[in-house]
Amino acid sequence: MESYLDLTIIDEEGAETTLGSLCVGVSLCVFLRHWGCAECSLLLHRLEPRLSELIALGARIVFIGLGSAQGIASFRAKHRFTREDICIVTDPTLSLHNALGLERGLMKVQGPKALFNRAKLGLQGYKNQSEDGDLLQQGGAVLLDAGREEIWRHKNTYFGDVLDPNELVEAVLQERARSSLSSKVSSGSQ
Amino acid sequence: MLIHIANLIILASFLVGDVMWLRSLSIIGGGVWVCYFSTEFTEINWSGIGWNVLFTLINVWYITQLILERRPISLTERERELKHLIAPDLELREWSKLLKAGEVVSGEAIQIIEGSPLDSVYLMMSGSGQRTLNGVSEELSIGQLIGALPYLTGGSSPEHVESLPGTQLIRWSNNALKAYLNGAPESRAVFQRLLGAEVSNNRG
């Protein structure tokens, strides 16, 4: 069966690749909504201070959008996201989001919780700025170990339900601790 | 007359910037309202009094919380230095709560034997000691965490640790610390940085 890691995505240069080719070692794949999404601004605001920590722990970070390939550059510019060690790709076909079973639907973005979060984000200064990509698709994140096994997952169930960076870092720490312990056991038994 | 006094006090409460003053003036204004509802009607207006008593109770509750939050924080010189070293961004009160979730162990030497179960995590506050992992020894330094791997995996200590007499450490039981950090996201982030430093350096 074809894994979502084998599905085709588009990189910043507009070239086709697969998510699997970008996931080397422990990898965090963050699935974004459309490029101008207010929720994604909140996500980056929360995640950005922890990115260096995640990279220091050996995690490879890949952001996957669902807008046009041209939108990647403006997304980077808008969020002043200049780190080159963080990869941003896109899948406008939504194949990846679908394969992962990420939520999609009108009620996910216009339901009571979603509307409450939208109002809250608006008051905090997070507003939708452009609509490049599917507006109904929700985001999420998966953490893969070095063997590409999924060890942590977050699915946004409604607009504004972004991942908790502490939970994510905890999952990376536990994975690192497990692999560190197993390497010590194997080096000790030799 | 009482209605004007009560409203003037409530108006004054809206003009102050400090929440403590706002709530205090609201309580005073509420008291005048209670007098008004008690004396200005042919029968005592209990519904008016009841609402104002409810508002007063809510304000008293929040004033109590504010007073508790604004109490001065008492930390030793070493606790302040340690905060400056490992958690400069954390609010002093959060740091104080994190310390109180554990206990300071001082005076006696601490020994953790490799392979033994470890249900606590230690933070070096002062003094010195040594840790040995796979035959490689290194000096313990201030602000270093001991027991990161057992904390994360629930296993035994992969290293041998010995602190010298007079060393001061903070000890948290793993379960109690996890329970505390679940409700303290800022402190959890600080702790994750410390754990990350240990795990990245392949220490336990």
Side-chain angles (χ1 to χ4, degrees), chain B residues 1 8 14 26-29 36 39 50 52 55 65 80 83 87 90 102-104 119 121 125-126 131 136 146 198:
Chain B
M1 186 64 184
L8 281 171
F14 292 149
S26 290
I27 289 174
I28 297 167
Y36 170 76
T39 57
N52 277 283
F55 299 153
Q65 298 303 309
R80 283 181 188 275
K83 182 198 175 301
L90 195 65
E103 59 169 340
V104 175
D119 62 357
V121 64
M125 193 148 73
S126 68
R131 68 200 310 177
V136 181
I146 301 160
E198 292 300 308

Side-chain angles (χ1 to χ4, degrees), chain A residues 3-7 9 18-31 54 57-62 64 96 100 140-154 168 171-176 178-179:
Chain A
S3 156
Y4 63 86
L5 293 169
D6 301 321
L7 294 173
I9 48 174
T18 61
L19 183 59
S21 67
L22 300 172
C23 295
V24 183
V26 175
S27 304
L28 168 68
C29 304
V30 182
F31 294 86
L54 288 165
L57 283 167
R60 166 95 163 129
I61 298 169
V62 184
I64 303 110
L96 264 171
L100 274 163
V142 292
L143 183 68
L144 306 170
D145 67 11
R148 294 185 180 179
E149 287 293 317
E150 201 174 299
I151 49 177
W152 180 85
R153 177 189 279 220
H154 173 84
L168 168 65
V172 176
L173 280 169
Q174 280 176 354
E175 168 54 23
R176 278 300 310 267
R178 273 193 296 270
S179 57

